[in-house]
Amino acid sequence: MRSKNRLWRHFLFFGLISTTSLSYAQVRPTVPERFQELPDPTVDTLSDWSAIEKGLHSSFVTIDKRFPKSVAPNFRPQAIQSVSGWKGERVSVQVLLWTSSPIQGAQVAVTSFKSKDATLPKSIASTHFVRYVMTDEFGPGCGYRKPQDFAASLAPDMLDNLSSFDLEGKKVRPVWVTIDIPRTAKAGVYKADVEVSAKGETMQKLNLEVEVIGQSLPAPQAWSFHLDQWQHPSAVARVLGVPVWSKAHFDAMKPTMKMLADAGQKVITATLNKDPWNVQTYDPYADMITWKKDANGKWSYDYTVFDKWVQFMMDLGITKMINCYSIVPWNNEIHYTDAGQSKVINVVAKPGTPIFEELWTPFLKDFVNHLKQKGWLERTNIAVDERSREEMDGALALIQRVAPELGVSYADNQKTYQRYPNSDDISIAANHPFSQEDLADRKARGLNTSFYICCSDGFPNQFTFSDPAESTYLAWYAEAANFDGLLRWAYNSWVENPVQDSRFRTWPAGDTYIVYPHDRSSIRYERMLEGIQDYEKVQLVKKALLKKGDADNLAKLKEAISKLNTAERKAGWNENLNEAKKLLNDLSRQLVLK
């Protein structure tokens, strides 16, 4: 999904790669689990550290800020931090470590949590050294970019799984702490120590307080927020060095895709034929369904990989939709094996042309029958990404004529939904004009409407240089603007070396992924999850306020949410977000939720 970047096709040097059968013959990992960060390219390395006393320093810091790696801290250390959350909610705090000289073996651990009459085990907390990845800047947004034309810097983002870390001199090191509040926890305030230690250093203790509010957050599979982040299986195969669609491949994908399910993902991203996006990603999309035409002109379709992929994702808890890309791929090309000629045939089939109908009609009919047999028809959509009016009309007309049982889903930046008001699942480009009346009508009829962000959106977004709270803001904006959720074009479409350098040849850094190889989260993922949890809490609190007849507090909540009803960066947005979050928790303490 790329708005405003049609010039991009001129740079598809990967377009020469065949996607008929991706096996990654050289089966070896291309991205190591352990690595050295790239050198800091900024003038921050000239920061004056002379005022920093010798030894290891630590402090709680805000989760709303990214801390430059080479800048000497200039604030009063904070040894106490309080955070509040519901039962079943994940909450986060951030600790900053710094030293003027190298220190070996730094460790950060959290003790058990104790209230006046209960204890929560230390296992509910996890600590992660935050790793710095090379990033760039927004610039013009979409379009081909040369690294030398954009200011580069190191951004703290990856949450590593290392148990200890060697600290560099004249550098800072953030540590992200997550606390998964048990659903069985008693309400109350729990206290724990965050223990900071290192070789040759006296242990330091920071005091963490977690307030467990007496409300329960549903499990992710029950969340109403419609999260749709496109998955990219082939990227996992390349990065971890396993044959595509092998057992090793599925085993390697499981932890990464489980993280997506745990964020409440609702959609399985599947493909119908050739790479739908014309290899605009670093890795081509490998086929999930192979087409074959025998010598007598009869068609057959092999759904083996498609079925295995869909069932794999459903077993992880992602069951609402199967969005299949695409009847209108970015270059209008499809391919199939011609048994009579014993070769792969590549065909340009534009919607509305005879060849388009000739090729897609038998497939759509066969696909419907297959989905019926699997019991998946009701949740399957034929999906389209940012196509022209003419292409959309040709494709949707054919679907309606030959396979009306199939749903349709599309990313829309030209109000296609107004011409096709019964479309099952649509996503409207952020900052693209839309009608609140249309959104309300679609919601009333049970049709799904989300918004999407991509390389053309400077705010809110999830680039590696974006402010951390932007990832939280996304769900609050969805609530404020009356959308059902968020679509973001890639969850794990990894670049060449995603653990060191998040930049890509055509879009702002980090646009292609929000989690890292080897089962590692990110600040962006954790803050996005935070926002989605907030969204679910808002729905429950609004319902309880309505039931109680508490018009005053309901008005206060709606007013706080209304300040977040913009997809433009405005002064005070982060403060407004935090005020809305605080009000939400304050109200939840007073209510009986069901």
Side-chain angles (χ1 to χ4, degrees), residues 445-503:
R445 293 187 290 128
L447 301 174
N448 190 69
T449 313
S450 63
F451 75 99
Y452 72 83
I453 53 174
C454 66
C455 56
S456 62
D457 302 304
F459 176 91
N461 216 309
Q462 293 186 294
F463 305 121
T464 42
F465 54 78
S466 298
D467 290 328
E470 291 183 43
S471 289
T472 304
Y473 185 95
L474 292 166
W476 282 89
Y477 170 68
E479 168 64 20
N482 201 33
F483 286 109
D484 296 310
L486 163 74
L487 183 154
R488 186 175 185 273
W489 88 275
Y491 170 67
N492 70 307
S493 189
W494 291 321
V495 294
E496 182 176 11
N497 188 2
V499 300
Q500 288 183 308
D501 195 336
S502 64
R503 296 173 295 180

Side-chain angles (χ1 to χ4, degrees), residues 31-293:
V31 176
E33 186 168 4
R34 292 180 178 268
F35 63 95
Q36 293 292 324
E37 294 165 0
L38 296 177
D40 191 339
T42 71
V43 295
D44 293 344
T45 55
L46 303 178
S47 179
D48 183 8
W49 284 74
S50 61
I52 303 298
E53 296 182 1
K54 183 180 179 181
L56 176 62
H57 300 268
S58 63
S59 174
F60 285 115
V61 290
T62 176
I63 60 174
D64 286 342
K65 181 179 178 181
R66 297 186 187 275
F67 290 84
K69 185 176 181 179
S70 302
V71 174
N74 184 22
F75 57 81
R76 179 175 296 178
Q78 178 181 340
I80 301 175
Q81 179 70 53
S82 299
V83 64
S84 301
W86 290 17
K87 301 173 185 180
E89 183 177 358
R90 173 180 288 185
V91 294
S92 301
V93 297
Q94 186 170 206
V95 173
L96 192 68
L97 309 181
W98 66 98
T99 175
S100 59
S101 58
I103 291 179
Q104 302 296 309
Q107 295 183 317
V108 179
V110 182
T111 65
S112 58
F113 295 79
K114 297 181 179 180
S115 69
K116 291 181 179 179
D117 57 358
T119 299
L120 298 176
K122 62 183 180 181
S123 59
I124 70 171
S126 63
T127 61
H128 302 270
F129 290 98
V130 182
R131 304 302 298 274
Y132 284 82
V133 62
M134 194 65 70
T135 189
D136 54 19
E137 57 186 339
F138 184 70
C142 306
Y144 185 77
R145 50 178 58 202
K146 296 179 180 179
Q148 60 268 28
D149 294 338
F150 296 85
S153 61
L154 291 175
D157 189 55
M158 178 203 294
L159 306 190
D160 215 335
N161 297 320
L162 300 171
S163 59
S164 65
F165 199 84
D166 294 339
L167 304 178
E168 301 173 72
K170 297 184 179 180
K171 296 288 187 285
V172 306
R173 180 60 53 181
V175 179
W176 199 265
V177 183
T178 63
I179 302 99
D180 290 297
I181 302 175
R183 299 182 187 282
T184 56
K186 292 183 178 180
V189 176
Y190 295 78
K191 296 182 179 181
D193 291 332
V194 177
E195 299 175 339
V196 180
S197 61
K199 186 176 181 180
E201 297 288 327
T202 302
M203 178 182 289
Q204 301 175 29
K205 292 186 178 181
L206 306 176
N207 304 125
L208 176 60
E209 293 185 355
V210 176
E211 179 197 9
V212 177
I213 298 173
Q215 309 291 357
S216 294
L217 190 69
Q221 289 75 20
W223 293 350
S224 60
F225 186 84
H226 188 84
L227 179 64
D228 183 5
Q229 297 221 334
W230 295 351
Q231 306 101 55
H232 195 166
S234 299
V236 178
R238 187 260 306 176
V239 165
L240 298 185
V242 293
V244 70
W245 307 135
S246 65
K247 181 182 183 303
H249 185 199
F250 280 93
D251 289 344
M253 287 191 289
K254 189 171 184 178
T256 297
M257 298 308 166
K258 179 63 165 57
M259 288 172 57
L260 183 58
D262 289 345
Q265 172 77 6
K266 296 294 184 285
V267 185
I268 301 168
T269 307
T271 59
L272 296 174
N273 189 275
K274 190 177 181 180
D275 188 324
W277 294 282
N278 195 24
V279 203
Q280 64 172 303
T281 51
Y282 185 84
D283 297 288
Y285 272 75
D287 290 2
M288 291 185 180
I289 303 172
T290 54
W291 297 26
K292 184 177 181 179
K293 187 178 183 180

Side-chain angles (χ1 to χ4, degrees), residues 293 299 301 336 353-363 398:
K293 187 178 183 180
W299 288 97
Y301 309 95
Y336 62 90
T353 63
I355 190 64
F356 179 82
E357 299 204 6
E358 177 185 336
L359 293 174
W360 282 103
T361 295
F363 170 77
L398 180 65

